[in-house]
Structures are given as C-alpha cells and as structure tokens.
Amino acid sequence: NAGVTQTPKFQVLKTGQSMTLQCAQDMNHEYMSWYRQDPGMGLRLIHYSVGAGITDQGEVPNGYNVSRSTTEDFPLRLLSAAPSQTSVYFCASSYKPSSYNSPLHFGNGTRLTVT
Amino acid sequence: AQTVTQSQPEMSVQEAETVTLSCTYDTSESDYYLFWYKQPPSRQMILVIRQEAYKQQNATENRFSVNFQKAAKSFSLKISDSQLGDAAMYFCAYRRGANNLFFGTGTRLTVIP
C-alpha cells in the first residue's frame, strides 16, 4: 500500500538547472497538488489538479510547471532553478476534489537545495 | 483572500498536562473546513482533527479537541494528557473549494518529561 510516493527524497541543483520532482499515487485519487514548505511560512500551494488533463495555479506558481496526463502521476517541473526555490516540496492527493470526507494524503516530501 | 494566523511559534507542556494551540483565520465565506495537521521530525504530515464550519459542535478525536468560534474566526486545538509523541510542529489549515488548503505558519510543541 504505497499511498503517495515522491522522488527523489533529496536533490541539490545549481542555479539555472532544470529538474522534475515526481509524484505518484496508487489510490485512484482525482485531486493532486503540490506545496512548498519554507521556515516560518507554513505550506503554500504551488499547483493543483482536479483530474487528468486539468491543472490550475495555486498561491505561488511562478517558476514551476505541472501536467496531469494520467490519474496516477503529477510531476512538478522547475524550469530554471533559483536559490529562492530552495524548500521542502510536498505532493498531496485526495479521492474527491470537493468532498469533506476526502482528507489529503501527503507524500514524505522532497528537500531541494539550489546553490 | 484567506489567511491563517498562528500567533504562537513555540509552546511547551509538561507530560500528562493539557495545552492549547491558537489559530485564527480570515475569510468572507460561510461554508468552509478547518484542520489541524501534525508534522513530527520525520516530516510526515498527519491529519489530527477537522471541523466543518456549519457544525456548531466542536470536533473531538481521542485526546485532541477543538474550540471552534465561528464569529470570532478562531479555531484552537486542545491536547489533553500530553504524551512525548505529541512533540511536533502543528499546523492549522483552512480549506475552501477544490481541496486546496491554506496553512498557518505553525506552532512547535515541546513536551517536557
């Protein structure tokens, strides 16, 4: 029972490099989202998706791209990494987008450092 | 815009005692949901308790309960009989619409043996 799987767990990038953070869930969840966690700022929503083929922006979308070609996967792409993107990234999913009885399931996070 | 404020960056409690963590939020909506999440050092996000805004009765989950004051836009978490395993960061969160959560900045809880 894998739940929400994020890879990698840790990553170091140089400024200007691009990379993709992977997120996969095996619970057939419709809703998936990406958050970043910074000290003193809690978690902030980057992008979200309410189903395959549908994505939308959250609070802090700049510098990130997402796509949702399958129900299971929701990768987060950093186009040109900047030191301000140093953070811990969480992927989260739930069964129904608007259902109260569908709590968010979080992955274990990816710690990204941009030098 | 909706914002969530946790005014206590750090709190401590003696083992077996009770502690209350504060949370206030700002919204113009009448229908929404509120949550408390726990984040231990493992970094995992764990749902502790949730409250529907249209319910006047305060939610309770074992040793965890909330004091939901809708008019005051306040949503505090009470932890009774505190245990060492309760030590963690606690985040208050507001949800509206899809399933997007807006989080506070967190309160770090230390449990003193």
Side-chain angles (χ1 to χ4, degrees):
Chain A
N1 209 7
V4 179
T5 302
Q6 289 184 236
T7 55
K9 288 185 169 55
F10 302 94
Q11 182 71 48
V12 179
L13 290 178
K14 294 189 188 307
T15 297
Q17 287 184 317
S18 62
M19 80 156 294
T20 300
L21 305 185
Q22 301 292 344
C23 176
Q25 52 88 11
D26 60 359
M27 298 171 282
N28 202 30
H29 282 174
E30 297 170 336
Y31 174 90
M32 297 185 74
S33 56
W34 278 100
Y35 289 84
R36 59 177 288 174
Q37 182 178 17
D38 302 295
M41 300 192 73
L43 282 78
R44 292 179 293 169
L45 182 66
I46 304 172
H47 284 286
Y48 67 97
S49 168
V50 298
I54 306 168
T55 64
D56 209 342
Q57 295 181 350
E59 296 177 81
V60 288
N62 292 341
Y64 307 95
N65 269 0
V66 292
S67 60
R68 185 94 180 270
S69 56
T70 67
T71 300
E72 295 77 20
D73 300 299
F74 191 46
L76 178 72
R77 297 183 186 86
L78 281 69
L79 308 172
S80 177
S84 61
Q85 293 179 304
T86 294
S87 189
V88 177
Y89 291 85
F90 286 94
C91 180
S93 70
S94 70
Y95 178 48
K96 288 184 178 179
S98 299
S99 169
Y100 168 75
N101 288 321
S102 291
L104 277 181
H105 296 254
F106 283 84
N108 288 332
T110 296
R111 181 176 293 278
L112 175 68
T113 302
V114 183
T115 61
Chain B
Q2 44 274 327
T3 59
V4 179
T5 301
Q6 293 179 250
S7 59
Q8 307 153 316
E10 296 182 352
M11 293 282 285
S12 61
V13 62
Q14 291 285 143
E15 195 174 3
E17 297 296 309
T18 295
V19 65
T20 298
L21 308 184
S22 301
C23 173
T24 58
Y25 58 93
D26 183 29
T27 183
S28 57
E29 302 294 323
S30 59
D31 187 18
Y32 51 87
Y33 306 107
L34 297 164
F35 304 84
W36 279 97
Y37 279 85
K38 169 185 178 181
Q39 187 180 44
S42 66
R43 211 166 64 191
Q44 187 181 8
M45 293 291 289
I46 302 166
L47 178 63
V48 174
I49 199 166
R50 51 187 167 177
Q51 174 82 40
E52 299 144 302
Y54 64 85
K55 285 190 176 179
Q56 293 189 342
Q57 186 174 5
N58 290 326
T60 299
E61 291 284 345
N62 300 315
R63 297 183 295 107
F64 298 87
S65 61
V66 298
N67 184 5
F68 173 49
Q69 302 287 331
K70 191 172 183 178
K73 297 179 184 175
S74 171
F75 183 59
S76 60
L77 174 69
K78 185 171 85 170
I79 306 174
S80 304
D81 185 26
S82 296
Q83 300 175 359
L84 295 178
D86 294 334
M89 282 288 287
Y90 285 82
F91 291 98
C92 178
Y94 165 103
R95 194 202 99 181
R96 185 178 68 85
N99 209 347
N100 302 335
L101 296 184
F102 296 88
F103 287 85
T105 52
T107 297
R108 183 175 301 282
L109 178 66
T110 301
V111 180
I112 303 166

